[in-house]
Amino acid sequence: MIPFSILDLAPVTEGSDAGQAFRNTLDLARLAERLGYHRYWLAEHHNMPGIASAATAVLIGHVAGGTSTIRVGAGGIMLPNHAPLQVAEAFGTLASLYPGRIDLGLGRAPGTDQPTARALRRYFDSADAFPQDVLELLGYFEPAAPGQPVRAVPGAGVEVPVWLLGSSLFGAQLAARLGLPYAFASHFAPDAMDEALALYRRDFRPSARLQQPYAMLGLNVVAADSDAEARRLFTTQQQTFINLRRGKPGLVPSPIDDIEAYWTPPEKLMVERALACAAIGDAGTVKDGIEAFIARHRPDELLLTANVFDHAARRRSFEIAAAVRDQLGAQHGPVANRG
C-alpha cells in the first residue's frame, strides 16, 4: 500500500488561540507517528486568523523536536516570500538538528492576500522568478565549492529532499524538468490534476535527487463513526472556504447541522468543485473513497488533510484513516516506498 501522510495548517478554532493550536499540532503529529503515517507537513499561510503555521520552519522544528521518527516538512514554503539563501539556512539547520527527517516543499503562490503579499515579498513580481529561485536554492544544498562567494551555513552539503508543489501545469513542468518529486494541491484545487500528473510523468527527467517520477496527491479525508457525523464535521471546512471567498477569513468555525442554509447556490457549486477530492464518511465509506481515488489517479503517496473543529474528532478521523490504509494494504500487499 502507498504511504499516507498528513498536511496540517495548525488550525485556530473559535474560542481557542495559537498556543492551543500548536499543542494540538504536536499531539496530532505524535499520534500520526504512532499510527505509521509517513510524513507530517505544515503549510505557510499569512494574515489568516484560523491558520497558525505562518512561521513554518519554526513550527517544523517544534514538531520534529517532539517526535522521533516521522518525517516533518513544509507543504510548503512559499518561495516568493523568501530569499533562497534564508530558506536554505533554515532548512539546513532543521536537517542538521533532525537528520534524515526534514522535507522542503516549495510553492509559487504567496499564501495570502495581495496586501499581505506586498508586505512579505522581497519584490512583488518575485513569483515570476520562481524557477531561478528554485535553482538557486538547490545550489545552496550542494557541497560548497572552493572560493564560492556565498554559501548556506548550515545547508551546504546537507541532505534536504526538495519537492515542488502546485495546482497547475507550471509546477508539474518545472518538477519534471528538474527531476524533483511533485505534490499536487488536489485537496482544494483539483481541476488540472489529471493533466498535470500526465505531464509530470511523461516529461520527467531523472536527476541526482530522484530517478523516477514521484507524485503525492492531497485528499480531504474526514472519517467518523457514521456518514452523517462525518458530513457534519466536514461543514467546518465548507464554511471556511465560503468565508474566505466572502472576504471574511476568521477562526475555524464549529460544524453546523444545515450547510444548505449557510451557502448560496453559486457558493455551493464553488465549494463542491474545490473540495471534490474528498472521502467523507464512516470507515467503510472512507475506504471506498480512498480506494477509488488511488485506482483512478495512481499516486505514489497520499497527503491527507482534515480541517475538523474538535481536536478529539480530528484525532479519531486520522485513526480511522490509518486503519483504512492498513485494510487496503492487507488487500493489495505492500509496495516499496520511494519517497
Side-chain angles (χ1 to χ4, degrees):
M1 189 56 196
I2 66 173
F4 282 21
S5 296
I6 291 176
L7 176 65
D8 183 15
L9 304 183
V12 184
T13 58
E14 292 174 346
S16 187
D17 57 24
Q20 186 60 54
F22 297 145
R23 289 188 288 273
N24 290 346
T25 282
L26 182 55
D27 179 68
L28 183 59
R30 287 169 170 166
L31 175 67
E33 186 170 75
R34 293 196 298 272
L35 294 173
Y37 283 92
H38 186 50
R39 61 184 100 237
Y40 194 96
W41 277 11
L42 295 142
E44 177 186 347
H45 292 276
H46 300 278
N47 197 32
M48 295 188 181
I51 298 176
S53 53
T56 317
V58 177
L59 192 52
I60 288 169
H62 175 63
V63 171
T67 53
S68 58
T69 58
I70 194 169
R71 298 193 66 87
V72 187
I77 291 295
M78 301 297 105
L79 190 54
N81 297 338
H82 309 276
L85 176 61
Q86 292 173 314
V87 176
E89 291 169 339
F91 280 80
T93 299
L94 288 167
S96 298
L97 287 167
Y98 310 105
R101 295 182 55 210
I102 300 299
D103 299 324
L104 172 55
L106 300 173
R108 186 169 66 114
T112 187
D113 54 76
Q114 284 194 347
T116 310
R118 291 189 182 93
L120 281 165
R121 291 184 174 193
R122 296 168 290 144
Y123 42 95
F124 189 63
D125 62 347
S126 56
D128 297 331
F130 182 73
Q132 292 74 29
D133 283 350
V134 171
L135 289 172
E136 181 182 345
L137 176 55
L138 291 173
Y140 288 130
F141 289 131
E142 296 296 321
Q148 181 174 327
V150 179
R151 63 183 66 185
V153 183
V158 177
E159 182 182 352
V160 181
V162 176
W163 294 64
L164 290 188
L165 316 181
S167 59
S168 68
L169 303 187
F170 180 91
Q173 292 171 329
L174 187 60
R177 178 162 61 88
L178 298 181
L180 295 175
Y182 179 56
F184 190 87
S186 38
H187 58 294
F188 72 88
D191 287 354
M193 173 174 53
D194 291 333
E195 190 176 358
L197 279 177
L199 186 155
Y200 171 67
R201 289 164 172 159
R202 183 194 70 211
D203 295 347
F204 181 85
R205 301 176 187 175
S207 70
R209 287 180 169 268
L210 190 64
Q211 289 300 298
Q212 53 188 322
Y214 192 95
M216 179 162 60
L217 299 180
L219 183 65
N220 295 285
V221 175
V222 177
D225 293 333
S226 70
D227 286 356
E229 178 59 16
R231 288 194 297 268
R232 183 177 182 275
L233 294 176
F234 192 50
T235 63
T236 287
Q237 177 72 337
Q238 293 168 324
Q239 291 176 82
T240 298
F241 258 70
I242 294 166
N243 294 343
L244 186 62
R245 295 305 187 274
R246 291 174 177 174
K248 298 177 181 179
L251 300 180
V252 174
S254 59
I256 55 178
D257 294 324
D258 185 9
I259 189 65
E260 298 296 333
Y262 192 82
W263 55 23
T264 66
E267 288 172 339
K268 177 180 180 178
L269 290 174
M270 178 273 296
V271 172
E272 289 182 342
R273 182 171 178 174
L275 303 181
C277 292
I280 314 298
D282 65 11
T285 301
V286 165
K287 177 177 177 291
D288 291 344
I290 291 177
E291 191 170 28
F293 185 82
I294 292 172
R296 177 179 175 183
H297 303 292
R298 299 293 179 184
D300 297 290
E301 188 170 338
L302 282 184
L303 187 65
L304 308 187
T305 187
N307 192 7
V308 173
F309 178 83
D310 179 73
H311 183 60
R314 194 168 183 235
R315 284 174 54 98
R316 177 64 180 149
S317 180
F318 283 112
E319 288 173 346
I320 294 172
V324 165
R325 175 204 60 205
D326 295 342
Q327 291 172 11
L328 293 173
Q331 286 178 209
H332 300 289
V335 297
N337 170 39
R338 302 193 305 270

